[in-house]
Amino acid sequence: MRLLTHNMLSSNIKGVVNGFPLRIEAEKVLEKNVEMNSDFLKKMFEKIEWKAFVEASRGMGYTELPEEADSSMLDSDEFLNRFHHALLELHLEEGALVCPETGRRFPVRKGIPNMLLHEDEV
Amino acid sequence: MASRPERIAPPEIFYDDTEARKYTSSSRIIEIQASLSERALELLALPEDGVPKLLLDIGCGSGLSGETLSEEGHHWIGLDISPSMLDIAIEREVEGDLLLSDMGQGLGFRPGVIDGAISISAVQWLCNADRSSHNPRLRLKAFFTSLYKCLSNGAKAVFQVYPENNDQRELIMNAAMHAGFAGGIVVDFPHSSKKRKEFLVLACGQLSTNASLSQGKNEDETRLSDDDSDSEDEENQTVRNLDRHRHLKRQKKSKSGKGREWILRKKDQMRRRGNDVPQDTKYTGRKRKGRF
């Protein structure tokens, strides 16, 4: 699972008001090279919750992202490269996602988070 | 469809390791899935600005439909309830991210982040109650409301569905309408029982029902002319909205008799399906003399 997906995911357990962001517990992180598309990055930048994104990338062991970011930084190639790497090239392979409100763990195996809820959580 | 997998077992059990492998190694299914997802992507009518979009593939299975999305350069997130299917997707090294998730429990995404959604042959599974805690109406509601929430304004969702009957079609459609979607059903190849495919085209945002319906119609007209040039022998497209009073109309017709026109139309229809049909002559549909 990439951080792109992580930044969109929130926990949808019944009764949880703020299920975002899911905390990452990383056991194994993979890197896969992907071609960069700056148009896509610029469009996604508007949708990304930056604070959660930085935190998640740190959880995955990538610390090059700046604490704060605004759209003017998108003109810098260096920033775009880092953004691209964190967003699309880092894969959480093994570990877990943890709901910030209830502490419920969603295990991640072979890159697939198991988001199935128990019957009493629906 | 002669046999319906929905009747056999719940999806996470039906698509076990062997069934999932069978599904993905059949060239016929691969071909069908590819053409269905191409058509769904076409109906999704994404803005053609060359910028890749973030799409959802609901019931992605082994990622056959997601491959079409990747080919167009889009990023996608696939959801499925069958771990075996997802394992095969991993083996096939699909480019999208995969989630093991049950669409009937609602989708856990932030509001307004997704640019569009497709789903190939999956939504009809929601009409089943596979466990005592399952209520199809509630599961459909959870699915459509959570989908509506996570789609961005003006985004569309296209579902290819195999509803078992009109009740199921209406159940799905009503749930979508209640969630706030506008849209209708597009039927490809309405006259052929084998090739007939239904697509639920839903729009999210300020479009009125009429606006999005007429949009569907226009798309169909262009599609029709496309196919004419390909000399396809099927009459391809009709757009229908669910109409509660349809059966009333049908009754009226049968009272007044069917007539020559109706017979000619039916014969034409059978010819297009490739059946042996007698010629049309002056005797076609003529009443017999009384003394017979």
Side-chain angles (χ1 to χ4, degrees), chain A residues 39-86:
Chain A
D39 287 338
F40 178 72
L41 290 177
K42 280 172 192 164
K43 231 191 99 225
M44 279 323 289
F45 182 78
E46 299 159 17
K47 291 185 179 172
I48 292 287
E49 285 276 340
W50 191 260
K51 215 175 139 226
F53 182 57
V54 174
E55 216 164 279
S57 69
R58 296 214 170 123
M60 305 261 278
Y62 185 73
T63 52
E64 311 269 307
L65 288 174
E67 200 75 48
E68 301 279 329
D70 58 73
S71 48
S72 64
M73 296 169 80
L74 286 170
D75 297 328
S76 133
D77 277 347
E78 199 190 337
F79 174 74
L80 271 187
N81 275 331
R82 286 177 185 174
F83 183 34
H84 169 76
H85 179 73

Side-chain angles (χ1 to χ4, degrees), chain A residues 1-2 5 7-10 12 20 37 40 43 47 49 88 110 112-117 119 122, chain B residues 52-54 75-77 86-87 90 97-102 105-110 113 115 131 133:
Chain A
M1 187 193 63
R2 297 166 296 183
T5 305
N7 208 271
M8 303 304 157
L9 265 184
S10 74
N12 63 338
F20 181 83
N37 181 325
F40 178 72
K43 231 191 99 225
K47 291 185 179 172
E49 285 276 340
L88 299 173
K110 289 196 277 186
I112 305 175
N114 179 346
M115 303 302 287
L116 291 176
L117 302 177
E119 272 170 26
V122 183
Chain B
K53 302 282 183 293
L54 179 62
H75 290 273
W76 55 276
I77 302 173
L86 292 175
D87 279 345
I90 294 264
D97 278 337
L98 305 167
L99 300 175
L100 179 63
S101 143
D102 177 1
Q105 295 178 340
L107 313 173
F109 289 101
R110 277 200 294 133
V113 290
D115 300 316
R131 286 183 204 167
S133 60

Side-chain angles (χ1 to χ4, degrees), chain B residues 23-171:
Chain B
Y23 192 87
T24 319
S25 53
S26 153
S27 60
R28 187 183 71 92
I29 288 179
I30 292 176
E31 202 178 295
I32 292 177
Q33 290 277 320
S35 70
L36 285 178
S37 27
E38 265 166 40
R39 176 75 174 130
L41 197 57
E42 189 183 315
L43 287 170
L44 206 53
L46 295 166
E48 290 177 6
D49 48 10
V51 181
K53 302 282 183 293
L54 179 62
L55 305 178
L56 282 187
D57 183 357
I58 298 154
C60 63
S62 48
L64 292 172
S65 41
E67 252 165 41
T68 312
L69 302 179
S70 296
E71 274 166 29
E72 298 290 321
H74 300 299
H75 290 273
W76 55 276
I77 302 173
L79 302 105
D80 206 285
I81 195 175
S82 158
S84 309
M85 282 295 229
L86 292 175
D87 279 345
I88 303 236
I90 294 264
E91 261 175 49
R92 290 157 43 82
E93 298 187 339
V94 294
E95 282 172 43
D97 278 337
L98 305 167
L99 300 175
L100 179 63
S101 143
D102 177 1
M103 56 179 165
Q105 295 178 340
L107 313 173
F109 289 101
R110 277 200 294 133
V113 290
I114 309 288
D115 300 316
I118 67 162
S119 162
I120 306 298
S121 325
V123 177
Q124 73 268 13
W125 286 98
L126 279 181
C127 297
N128 289 12
D130 293 322
R131 286 183 204 167
S132 58
S133 60
H134 282 186
N135 177 339
R137 211 170 283 275
L138 290 181
R139 283 166 60 75
L140 278 164
K141 187 179 160 204
F143 169 64
F144 280 113
T145 40
S146 61
L147 178 70
Y148 189 86
K149 212 174 74 182
C150 74
L151 287 177
S152 60
N153 198 4
K156 279 192 186 168
V158 178
F159 305 116
Q160 188 271 318
V161 282
Y162 291 114
E164 230 177 307
N165 48 40
N166 226 5
D167 289 345
Q168 250 187 29
R169 198 172 291 126
E170 202 155 328
L171 187 70

Side-chain angles (χ1 to χ4, degrees), chain B residues 283-292:
Chain B
Y283 303 107
T284 307
R286 206 170 71 166
K287 263 204 153 167
R288 288 190 195 281
K289 290 254 171 65
R291 65 168 181 273
F292 178 75

Side-chain angles (χ1 to χ4, degrees), chain A residues 23-36:
Chain A
R23 194 158 48 78
I24 290 186
E25 284 178 6
E27 283 165 25
K28 188 175 157 203
V29 176
L30 286 185
E31 288 183 24
K32 293 177 194 165
N33 281 334
V34 183
E35 209 176 303
M36 193 167 102

